[in-house]
Amino acid sequence: MAAIDLIVLGMLKKEPMGAYDIQKLVEYRNISKWVKISTPSIYKKAVQLEEKGFIKGCIVKEGKMPEKAVYSLTQSGEKEFERLMLDIAAQPIHFFLDFNAVIVNLDSLPPEIRKSCVASIQNNIKVLKTYLKENIREKESLPEIPETGMAVLRQQFILAEAIENWLASLEQGAENR
């Protein structure tokens, strides 16, 4: 999956690190909320990228900690990173929102169940907005958070607000029928 490759290569472009460190950074940056990436896929991806020659692992031992592989970008990994950046940036943008599978089928439900489905989605959007608001507030003053990372958080908040407004208009349209 190109997005996972790009995430791993991009993190290693900044500094060498182990798969565990990459996974922790993915968690810290909440990347798994927006890109389908799991902890096992990060470890698997590191092995695949090393097999392809895009990253190189070396075993290190720090103090009393167990040995671990620390990966760094190779020259061909640098080129692959740039290629993926250009390729993915040039692709049409798709929004895959799983709840749309519910939305397109709402008319097939009795009114009370339909309201319940919409209410669940609205609640989840409110929870997401609260989470994003707190995350933005916590991270906007931290110098180690890049402006591009903050831009993604703000983009996600704007998208959550747009979905919230859209759901309200959907609900209003259903009431007018």
Side-chain angles (χ1 to χ4, degrees):
M1 188 168 192
I4 297 173
D5 291 15
L6 185 57
I7 289 167
V8 172
L9 292 173
M11 288 181 178
L12 293 175
K13 183 165 178 50
K14 290 182 173 66
E15 66 181 288
M17 62 180 80
Y20 176 79
D21 301 314
I22 294 169
Q23 182 256 322
K24 285 296 172 198
L25 203 49
V26 164
E27 283 178 21
Y28 177 71
R29 292 184 178 171
N30 301 304
I31 293 170
S32 59
K33 285 189 177 289
W34 314 107
V35 177
K36 294 198 184 237
I37 184 170
S38 66
T39 299
S41 66
I42 294 169
Y43 287 89
K44 184 177 174 184
K45 188 52 66 180
V47 170
Q48 290 172 349
L49 290 170
E50 186 175 31
E51 287 171 353
K52 291 178 181 178
F54 297 142
I55 63 175
K56 180 178 174 26
C58 64
I59 304 299
V60 297
K61 180 160 177 54
E62 296 171 354
K64 295 184 180 189
M65 299 299 291
E67 290 181 342
K68 70 176 183 176
V70 172
Y71 298 99
S72 57
L73 217 51
T74 63
Q75 195 168 10
S76 62
E78 290 268 355
K79 288 180 178 147
E80 178 66 1
F81 170 77
E82 290 171 6
R83 184 192 72 74
L84 286 171
M85 287 290 289
L86 292 169
D87 284 357
I88 292 173
Q91 293 176 10
I93 296 171
H94 300 285
F95 292 107
F96 298 109
L97 305 171
D98 291 342
F99 69 84
N100 278 333
V102 171
I103 300 300
V104 299
N105 289 299
L106 283 175
D107 291 340
S108 301
L109 290 173
E112 287 308 308
I113 297 175
R114 180 179 355 184
K115 282 182 183 178
S116 178
C117 285
V118 171
S120 290
I121 295 169
Q122 286 172 322
N123 184 58
N124 286 331
I125 288 294
K126 283 180 184 159
V127 168
L128 176 61
K129 276 183 60 184
T130 300
Y131 165 78
L132 288 168
K133 212 181 278 187
E134 290 172 8
N135 207 353
I136 289 168
R137 190 174 13 89
E138 287 174 10
K139 293 182 178 168
E140 65 189 344
S141 62
L142 298 176
E144 67 269 18
I145 305 294
E147 187 52 40
T148 51
M150 290 305 301
V152 169
L153 280 175
R154 290 184 191 109
Q155 171 208 64
Q156 293 163 353
F157 185 79
I158 291 167
L159 180 58
E161 281 186 321
I163 291 169
E164 185 177 57
N165 293 335
W166 171 74
L167 285 167
S169 70
L170 181 71
E171 193 174 42
Q172 184 69 35
E175 289 174 4
N176 292 338
R177 279 190 236 152

